[in-house]
Amino acid sequence: MPQITLTLPDGSEKSFESGITGLDIAKSISEGLARKAIAVKLGEKILDLNRPLTADGAFRIITPSNEDLDALFVLRHSCAHVLAEAVCSLFPGTKLAYGPPVEDGFYYDLASPEPITHADFERIEKKMAEIIKEDRPFTRVEVSLEEALKRTEGDKYKRDNVERAVARGDSIFSFYVTGTVGAAPRGCPCDAAISPYDATPSWEDLCAGPHVPSTGKLKAFKVLSLAGAYWHGDQNSDQLTRVYGTCYADKAGLDAYLKFLEEAKKRDHRRIGQEMDLYHLEDHSPGMVFWHPHGTVLVNVLRDFVRKEITKRGYKEVITPEIVDKSLWVRSGHADKYDANMFKTLAGEREMAVKPMNCPCHIEIFNQGLKSWRDLPLRLSEFGKCHRNEPAGTMHGLMRVRGFVQDDAHIFCTEEQIASEVSDFCTLVKDLYKVFGFEKITVKFSTRPETRVGSDELWDKAEQALEEATKLAGLEYNLNPGEGAFYGPKLEFVLKDSLGRDWQCGTIQVDFNMPARLGAEYVGKDNQKHTPVMLHRAALGSLERFIGILTEEYAGDFPFWLAPMQVRVLPVSEKFSEYAEKVRKELVEADIRAEIDNSNEKVGYKIRQGELAKVPYLLVVGEKEVAANTVSVRKRKEGDLGQKSLEEFLGCVHTHIG
């Protein structure tokens, strides 16, 4: 018999007969392990416990765990199938499209004959619990293309999945059946089928797998939410219902996640943004932010903070047009990749495009006048407004918008300067994030994508230069193969917030391609013309998105220096408004952002409103305060701090202005 060699988790190697299953190996170790096992991993591929193993490679047995991403992948994929069966049972005639596991859970896109609402969650979960209690086996059935077409006849979405698989070169197709299977499972994926050999109901779905051995392995699940989705993400295609859920190895893991969701809900930047009157979004301008006065203050404070920090580091700020002839984007290479996401307009008969990024415009500035090696590195920064026609279903508050401002910059340098410039940027990112309390930062090194511009020789040079820069910066990173920009490799800086969520914000990319495409040159020490290297970089990324992240990180309780409104003066009654205005003016002259609540409400109500608006300090002024030329100070979350002279108060707050 042919043999395979498996490398076990302890590093040892062991030979087995080809065709042995993971379950057989688990049983050879212990019956307890065999009962716990839900799948195996061979190399980088996760396989069903009963799949024959026919290749050498690293091997491990997967058991349920909330810390093992592979285990969660299998559990969630299987739970998505159970959800699909439950929905099909409750809503006969439902057509299934696609149901993958995703980070923190799973979803299933489907078309149901009647709308599914949140009110249906309880009965969907009840039906799922019934299926799980029956502990039905997941059985993989491999069929030919002819049989796959027969099984998906009349099912638009599954038939399309088969045809797409054929286009990828697949010739064997798999269906997963839950329940007892006779010679072959039968029935539409949305109908219960009865095996001719057993009375146990079975149900099938076209799927590549893997799955747990049986439904009883699913111990803790929850249906979470609904959303709209388009088939293949195409807005011109069918609109589907996306049902989200999650699954964990045990109840403790599920409970912890549900608690996390509750906390995240309290911190939702969309709700807090409305309570604090920061911004709003309109249906007639989807994905474009309407910043209110307090929100505009927040944008400007953040922008001024970054501007101050990068100016100290030698950046020169520029402003470039928002609408540029489309030919520039063709020459830069952006049109090939971003054409569908670019907003276009006409100036007479001239086709123009609203800029989706700033880089070609910065090269246009570089190209004005002859540059020398003495001018390099040249660091051009811009808080440039960009627009991208993101799909409607992907937009989410401030986190994904169509119009945004980046703290963008492009560094034109020589090859010898790449390492030091990238290293300096890494320091800048860490320094900026630390101010906001983000000290847990991970870095991804993204290498050449499949679709790219430029020769392999240039890409080799760019990736090697970026690697050398990480060594100079003392930077540890995780490799992210194939995820670089179309013009160069990049480093992505991922911060972790107080809820443990990851946010990719900063990025720097090494580009040997675009400057040459747009004719950028400088005169070197040898008096010859050379093409500069271009480093694309953003520290915070989109200011809109970063403000969304900060809003959720602080739950709206921004640090004093960043708070949109730092002080609100509360006159006890109208007759103290003149004194309140005097206090406000003195605060403004001292560079404190202050306003007055002159509403015709009692002071208790004004205090509650100030707390809801998350104003750091409330200054109550009434008869006693006027007489003593003082203010009564209330600090958010600390309450009454007593009467203080304005000088005392200013001395206190100026100690924590960043």
Side-chain angles (χ1 to χ4, degrees):
M1 285 289 291
Q3 297 284 301
I4 58 171
T5 301
L6 303 182
T7 303
L8 305 181
D10 63 3
S12 64
E13 293 185 346
K14 193 169 182 180
S15 294
F16 297 91
E17 286 187 2
S18 180
I20 192 172
T21 69
L23 181 60
D24 293 332
I25 296 175
K27 284 180 178 178
S28 72
I29 298 171
S30 76
E31 287 295 332
L33 178 60
R35 285 193 297 271
K36 288 179 62 178
I38 58 173
V40 298
K41 190 169 188 179
L42 182 59
E44 294 301 312
K45 193 170 184 179
I46 303 173
L47 300 170
D48 299 329
L49 207 55
N50 283 309
R51 288 284 295 277
L53 306 177
T54 58
D56 300 339
F59 173 85
R60 74 181 183 93
I61 296 170
I62 299 172
T63 57
S65 168
N66 294 323
E67 284 70 49
D68 185 344
L69 295 181
D70 292 334
L72 291 176
F73 177 92
V74 178
L75 291 168
R76 289 166 178 169
H77 193 189
S78 303
C79 204
H81 272 233
V82 172
L83 177 138
E85 181 179 354
V87 171
C88 286
S89 174
L90 296 170
F91 299 87
T94 293
K95 296 296 183 183
L96 302 174
Y98 183 56
V102 293
E103 185 179 4
D104 295 329
F106 60 86
Y107 68 79
Y108 218 117
D109 287 348
L110 47 85
S112 58
E114 58 184 282
I116 298 174
T117 69
H118 289 84
D120 296 310
F121 286 4
E122 185 175 350
R123 64 192 189 113
I124 292 173
E125 289 177 349
K126 183 178 178 181
K127 176 58 69 173
M128 291 174 70
E130 291 174 5
I131 296 168
I132 289 169
K133 186 177 180 180
E134 290 170 359
D135 196 20
R136 294 197 228 144
F138 275 95
T139 304
R140 179 184 177 91
V141 180
E142 293 187 350
V143 301
S144 65
L145 171 59
E146 182 182 3
E147 177 65 17
L149 292 173
K150 181 179 177 182
R151 286 171 181 260
T152 57
E153 187 175 354
D155 190 324
K156 174 180 179 179
Y157 306 115
K158 293 302 179 181
R159 172 59 64 89
D160 186 78
N161 284 338
V162 170
E163 291 171 351
R164 288 164 67 86
V166 171
R168 292 195 302 267
D170 295 349
S171 57
I172 300 296
F173 302 84
S174 59
F175 289 76
Y176 276 80
V177 180
T178 53
T180 304
V181 184
R186 53 192 175 84
C188 148
C190 298
D191 296 327
I194 304 298
S195 161
Y197 300 98
D198 197 284
T200 305
S202 67
W203 183 86
E204 72 175 31
D205 193 8
L206 173 71
C207 181
H211 288 294
V212 296
S214 65
T215 60
K217 296 289 186 181
L218 306 175
K219 303 297 184 184
F221 68 92
K222 187 74 177 173
V223 181
L224 296 173
S225 62
L226 295 169
Y230 292 102
W231 180 228
H232 297 322
D234 182 356
Q235 296 180 59
N236 298 316
S237 187
D238 295 0
Q239 185 161 11
L240 305 171
T241 297
R242 178 168 292 181
V243 186
Y244 282 99
T246 194
C247 180
Y248 280 83
D250 53 36
K251 187 175 183 298
L254 177 63
D255 288 346
Y257 179 66
L258 295 179
K259 184 177 179 181
F260 159 83
L261 288 183
E262 282 300 312
E263 183 60 31
K265 186 177 180 181
K266 293 176 188 174
R267 293 169 177 261
D268 192 319
H269 73 281
R270 294 168 297 178
R271 179 183 62 81
I272 293 174
Q274 185 175 12
E275 290 176 352
M276 296 182 69
D277 194 25
L278 299 180
Y279 75 96
H280 81 279
L281 300 166
E282 287 279 0
D283 288 342
H284 56 246
S285 188
M288 311 290 185
V289 183
F290 289 76
W291 288 107
H292 298 190
H294 287 174
T296 301
V297 169
L298 188 55
V299 172
N300 288 335
V301 171
L302 194 61
R303 191 186 333 228
D304 291 345
F305 164 68
V306 175
R307 177 181 284 125
K308 179 181 177 182
E309 292 301 314
I310 65 174
T311 299
K312 290 189 295 187
R313 291 166 168 84
Y315 286 81
K316 298 178 180 179
E317 190 169 348
V318 299
I319 301 173
T320 60
E322 290 185 27
I323 300 177
V324 183
D325 193 296
K326 188 185 173 185
S327 63
L328 179 65
W329 308 103
V330 172
R331 289 193 293 127
S332 71
H334 286 96
D336 290 339
K337 184 174 178 63
Y338 285 102
D339 188 69
N341 296 101
M342 293 170 67
F343 290 102
K344 305 178 190 73
T345 186
L346 291 175
E349 295 183 358
R350 190 174 183 180
E351 189 173 10
M352 311 289 283
V354 183
K355 68 177 179 182
M357 60 268 301
N358 302 299
C359 28
C361 294
H362 287 191
I363 297 178
E364 294 291 275
I365 290 179
F366 181 90
N367 287 346
Q368 298 302 301
L370 187 65
K371 298 294 187 298
S372 158
W373 62 271
R374 294 183 178 86
D375 298 313
L376 306 184
L378 177 61
R379 308 178 188 96
L380 300 181
S381 67
E382 179 175 12
F383 294 96
K385 188 67 178 284
C386 298
H387 293 80
R388 296 177 189 172
N389 190 15
E390 303 286 0
T394 66
M395 292 185 290
H396 176 76
L398 297 177
M399 301 303 193
R400 188 81 175 264
V401 292
R402 286 176 172 166
F404 58 94
V405 175
Q406 287 182 308
D407 66 323
D408 204 5
H410 294 89
I411 303 169
F412 298 88
C413 63
T414 65
E415 290 184 36
E416 295 74 22
Q417 293 168 333
I418 293 174
S420 60
E421 288 299 312
V422 171
S423 179
D424 288 348
F425 175 72
C426 293
T427 301
L428 169 65
V429 168
K430 291 178 181 178
D431 289 347
L432 292 181
Y433 290 2
K434 190 173 182 179
V435 170
F436 300 105
F438 298 122
E439 299 198 35
K440 294 181 180 178
I441 303 168
T442 56
V443 181
K444 296 179 183 178
F445 190 132
S446 299
T447 57
R448 68 193 75 185
E450 187 174 335
T451 303
R452 57 185 182 269
V453 296
S455 66
D456 286 342
E457 181 183 1
L458 283 180
W459 275 90
D460 290 341
K461 191 183 295 187
E463 289 176 353
Q464 183 179 352
L466 196 54
E467 169 69 23
E468 291 173 358
T470 62
K471 291 177 181 177
L472 180 63
L475 203 64
E476 294 183 359
Y477 61 80
N478 299 314
L479 199 60
N480 196 23
E483 295 300 320
F486 73 91
Y487 46 75
K490 63 181 175 179
L491 298 179
E492 297 175 314
F493 296 82
V494 181
L495 56 86
K496 190 176 290 290
D497 69 12
S498 57
L499 293 182
R501 298 175 297 186
D502 290 336
W503 300 99
Q504 190 272 304
C505 295
T507 181
I508 186 164
Q509 301 148 7
V510 179
D511 184 0
F512 280 82
N513 290 296
M514 199 180 303
R517 292 174 70 99
L518 295 181
E521 293 179 331
Y522 71 94
V523 177
K525 292 180 181 180
D526 57 1
N527 287 323
Q528 300 298 310
K529 288 185 177 181
H530 301 271
T531 301
V533 179
M534 186 178 185
L535 305 180
H536 307 243
R537 50 112 297 186
L540 305 185
S542 155
L543 296 190
E544 284 76 7
R545 183 167 178 266
F546 199 76
I547 287 172
I549 293 169
L550 290 179
T551 303
E552 298 198 356
E553 172 68 8
Y554 298 127
D557 286 311
F558 296 103
F560 183 81
W561 71 273
L562 189 57
M565 190 50 53
Q566 296 169 319
V567 177
R568 184 176 288 178
V569 185
L570 312 178
V572 172
S573 68
E574 188 178 350
K575 66 180 180 179
F576 303 111
S577 295
E578 185 177 339
Y579 181 72
E581 177 61 19
K582 173 178 173 291
V583 169
R584 188 198 68 81
K585 284 184 177 179
E586 291 188 39
L587 290 169
V588 172
E589 288 174 3
D591 290 328
I592 302 296
R593 295 187 289 277
E595 63 184 10
I596 301 175
D597 183 348
N598 269 324
S599 63
N600 189 28
E601 301 286 352
K602 291 184 178 180
V603 71
Y605 179 83
K606 293 181 179 182
I607 290 172
R608 287 193 296 275
Q609 290 301 105
E611 289 289 332
L612 185 64
K614 296 178 169 51
V615 180
Y617 286 97
L618 304 175
L619 304 185
V620 180
V621 294
E623 190 170 339
K624 288 188 301 180
E625 289 76 22
V626 171
N629 197 30
T630 60
V631 292
S632 287
V633 182
R634 292 186 63 87
K635 186 176 181 181
R636 178 161 171 76
K637 294 189 175 180
E638 292 185 23
D640 189 4
L641 302 184
Q643 282 186 251
K644 297 181 184 293
S645 69
L646 203 53
E647 290 72 23
E648 287 179 291
F649 174 70
L650 288 173
C652 173
V653 298
H654 272 123
T655 60
H656 54 257
I657 295 180

